[in-house]
Amino acid sequence: MTTATTPSYEDAIARFQPVIGLETHVELGTRTKMFCGCATGFGADPNTQVCPVCLGLPGALPVANEAAIEATIRIGLALNCRIATWCRFARKNYFYPDMPKNFQTSQYDEPLCEDGWLDVDVDGETVRIEIERVHLEEDTGKSLHVGGATGRIQGATESLVDYNRAGIPLVEIVTKPVPGTGAKAPEVARAYVTELREVIRSLNVSDVRMEQGSMRCDVNTSLNRPGEEWGTRTETKNVNSLRSVERSVRSEIQRQAGLLEAGERILQETRHFHEDTGKTTAGRSKETATDYRYFPEPDLTPMAPDVEWVAELKAALPELPRVRRRRLQEAWGLSEHDMASVLNADAVDVIEETIRAGAKPDAARKWWMGELSRRANESEVGLTDLGITPQQVAELQALVDAGTLNDKLARQVIDGVLAGEGAPEEVAKARGLAIVSDTGALTKAVDEAIAANPDVAEKVRGGTHAAAGVLIGAVMKATKGQADAKSVRQLILERLS
């Protein structure tokens, strides 16, 4: 049993240098699986999207999915990789209950894409993450452990397996080791996975929804003292959120530093990250390539992507996220910090679409980063799942610009839109939400406020215009927030001049 004390992060970084590496798995959004015609939709009843091929029944022969191959090449090109002119699939042999064939059809020494890179920005500094390989394989099934308190196999009374996911096209993107990031290693890991997710999303080859498992990350971490060789790495498996990627690196740095300081050794093993505690626990000892007994897949022919076809795919790549962000940041007049906030809120697309629908950049950003982000957080959904579209936000702002609504009334209109009552203009009309612009009605409300607050009115007559705020508030209350505050202020000063 270890007696090591876990040091603070600052103390760990002062004594040791971290080296990180990331293996990211991305489920492709193809209609059918990698080697058969089974559907790939998420959420179907267990074991209803299976066939003899993906279940590995005797005599069933696989056929490679061309759309998955194309998507993998596009990912490789976006990551500046060299695309192989000849490669092949291999069998990766190991036993696990969620693998119906007891081997995974993958790629080993001849991947489809190699030697790329992806630049990420961390605290104003650009860090280049080198990509070792991008290869194509099939996903495994999903195990469900029941009867325990954690949902993990420890303490469970039984385990169930759903093979719907088995055979779905899976791209694995493996970085080279990333040394030299120092105390920023956790932030670099998160920035890389964030940027990678944006790149893949821009290619429209996967929904990259980490909460649904269509993007998962294995995080490798090791420590060494300055001047020494790199240490033994651990692999934290299936980390499923950007925040957890950062936290798992930080946790492993502290845990390993404590062991090394106590004179103990680091075991090469897989580990599990726990969201509730922010710590990792041991899984199993880590296999090497030799343990998997790779050999060429005999049932599939090698792949030889046509050079001209690859060139066409490269020419058709969309504008990549980093380039797009810089363009939008300049067009919207945002600082680096503000643009980072927009990115972290996953609001770039909705803001751009709102602007395209007619709103000004400041107004579009105000609604999505303020009121709508707050509501999305309260409902625990993404902005795109909130129930209001960029077109509707632009229509809402148009009503504000026209003087029909103020921000307070606009928020009430949002309530109606989210409740399914219709478009902003329809909600405003149905609920009777509009700024009171009738001069007679406003004048009456102002006179009543003055009469009810003679002491305040006298201060305003004496030149203390700041006191008019009390009278404005009284008018706004009387009109249920439907008066224009600027007009009310002007009327008050005119009546008391």
Side-chain angles (χ1 to χ4, degrees):
M1 179 179 292
T2 178
T3 58
T5 301
T6 302
S8 69
Y9 183 74
E10 292 72 19
D11 287 344
I13 286 296
R15 296 183 177 91
F16 297 95
Q17 297 175 336
V19 178
I20 58 174
L22 298 112
E23 303 171 17
T24 308
H25 297 81
V26 177
E27 281 187 0
L28 297 178
T30 54
R31 288 189 308 104
T32 58
K33 293 186 180 181
M34 185 64 227
F35 301 114
C36 66
C38 289
T40 58
F42 179 82
D45 289 339
N47 299 308
T48 58
Q49 297 179 165
V50 294
C51 73
V53 174
C54 57
L55 289 177
L57 299 184
L61 293 175
V63 177
N65 187 327
E66 182 179 355
I69 295 170
E70 177 179 323
T72 306
I73 292 174
R74 294 180 68 217
I75 292 173
L77 290 170
L79 296 176
N80 306 288
C81 290
R82 174 176 55 82
I83 308 302
T85 55
W86 190 95
C87 61
R88 58 185 173 181
F89 287 103
R91 289 189 179 183
K92 181 180 182 182
N93 296 275
Y94 65 101
F95 172 77
Y96 211 67
D98 58 14
M99 284 220 322
K101 298 185 292 188
N102 285 341
F103 66 84
Q104 181 185 36
T105 305
S106 181
Q107 291 185 297
Y108 174 45
D109 55 343
E110 296 161 314
L112 193 50
C113 317
E114 291 183 289
D115 297 326
W117 49 267
L118 181 65
D119 286 340
V120 301
D121 297 319
V122 180
D123 294 337
E125 178 186 354
T126 298
V127 180
R128 175 158 292 185
I129 308 297
E130 295 187 345
I131 307 295
E132 180 177 297
R133 55 194 281 140
V134 178
H135 69 256
L136 183 57
E137 58 190 23
E138 60 180 339
D139 208 347
T140 61
K142 182 178 181 180
S143 297
L144 178 65
H145 307 294
V146 295
T150 65
R152 297 187 180 277
I153 195 169
Q154 294 87 353
T157 57
E158 55 188 329
S159 295
L160 307 175
V161 184
D162 178 8
Y163 288 119
N164 281 348
R165 196 175 68 182
I168 288 181
L170 191 69
V171 169
E172 183 171 359
I173 303 157
V174 183
T175 72
K176 295 181 180 179
V178 185
T181 56
K184 294 182 180 179
E187 289 83 359
V188 169
R190 176 173 182 160
Y192 165 77
V193 179
T194 301
E195 187 71 13
L196 181 62
R197 185 183 65 166
E198 292 303 307
V199 168
I200 294 171
R201 180 181 288 162
S202 74
L203 299 174
N204 198 30
V205 296
S206 172
D207 61 15
V208 287
R209 299 188 66 163
M210 299 185 78
E211 74 279 7
Q212 290 187 359
S214 57
M215 182 174 182
R216 312 186 291 276
C217 191
D218 299 340
V219 184
N220 294 277
T221 311
S222 70
L223 295 183
N224 61 276
R225 290 183 172 84
E228 295 182 353
E229 294 183 357
W230 292 348
T232 301
R233 66 183 174 89
T234 61
E235 181 180 10
T236 306
K237 300 286 289 184
N238 294 327
V239 183
N240 63 359
S241 76
L242 299 175
R243 179 170 177 262
S244 294
V245 168
E246 180 176 343
R247 292 174 72 206
S248 66
V249 174
R250 188 178 299 271
S251 173
E252 268 302 281
I253 288 174
Q254 292 179 253
R255 186 189 71 86
Q256 291 185 24
L259 291 173
L260 294 172
E261 283 288 282
E264 300 186 34
R265 66 187 184 94
I266 306 300
L267 299 177
Q268 183 171 330
E269 62 186 359
T270 64
R271 298 187 66 82
H272 301 293
F273 179 73
H274 300 272
E275 294 278 354
D276 53 348
T277 64
K279 299 183 183 300
T280 67
T281 56
R284 54 182 169 80
S285 60
K286 178 62 179 170
E287 296 90 346
T288 64
T290 303
D291 296 321
Y292 290 126
R293 304 189 324 278
Y294 283 99
F295 64 85
E297 170 56 72
D299 292 333
L300 290 166
T301 59
M303 293 182 288
D306 181 72
V307 175
E308 292 184 2
W309 178 51
V310 172
E312 290 174 2
L313 293 177
K314 184 175 183 178
L317 287 178
E319 181 182 37
L320 294 178
R322 198 161 185 264
V323 176
R324 177 187 176 219
R325 284 200 306 273
R326 288 180 174 177
R327 173 177 61 79
L328 293 178
Q329 180 181 341
E330 183 176 350
W332 298 349
L334 300 183
S335 66
E336 291 281 351
H337 179 268
D338 287 342
M339 194 65 196
S341 297
V342 170
L343 177 63
N344 290 337
D346 204 13
V348 175
D349 289 342
V350 289
I351 291 176
E352 184 181 28
E353 290 174 27
T354 304
I355 294 169
R356 194 180 295 126
K360 293 181 179 179
D362 285 349
R365 177 170 162 267
K366 175 192 73 175
W367 287 116
W368 287 109
M369 295 298 294
E371 182 68 18
L372 296 175
S373 282
R374 180 184 66 78
R375 292 172 184 253
N377 290 335
E378 289 176 352
S379 303
E380 297 184 347
V381 298
L383 289 174
T384 55
D385 299 321
L386 190 56
I388 188 169
T389 67
Q391 178 66 39
Q392 290 171 329
V393 174
E395 291 173 7
L396 180 75
Q397 183 59 38
L399 294 174
V400 174
D401 292 340
T404 304
L405 300 175
N406 55 28
D407 281 1
K408 181 178 180 180
L409 296 176
R411 287 192 286 272
Q412 296 179 52
V413 171
I414 290 174
D415 291 336
V417 174
L418 295 180
E421 297 174 16
E425 189 170 358
E426 295 171 334
V427 172
K429 184 176 180 180
R431 292 193 173 198
L433 300 174
I435 290 176
V436 177
S437 56
D438 178 16
T439 304
L442 283 182
T443 301
K444 180 182 177 182
V446 166
D447 287 344
E448 290 175 351
I450 290 173
N453 298 275
D455 294 342
V456 176
E458 195 59 37
K459 290 181 181 179
V460 176
R461 285 193 184 96
T464 309
H465 290 180
V470 174
L471 301 178
I472 294 171
V475 173
M476 297 300 289
K477 182 178 180 179
T479 60
K480 298 180 180 179
Q482 292 182 242
D484 176 55
K486 185 177 180 181
S487 299
V488 171
R489 177 182 174 82
Q490 184 177 347
L491 273 173
I492 290 172
L493 295 180
E494 287 176 357
R495 305 293 280 180
L496 297 177
S497 62

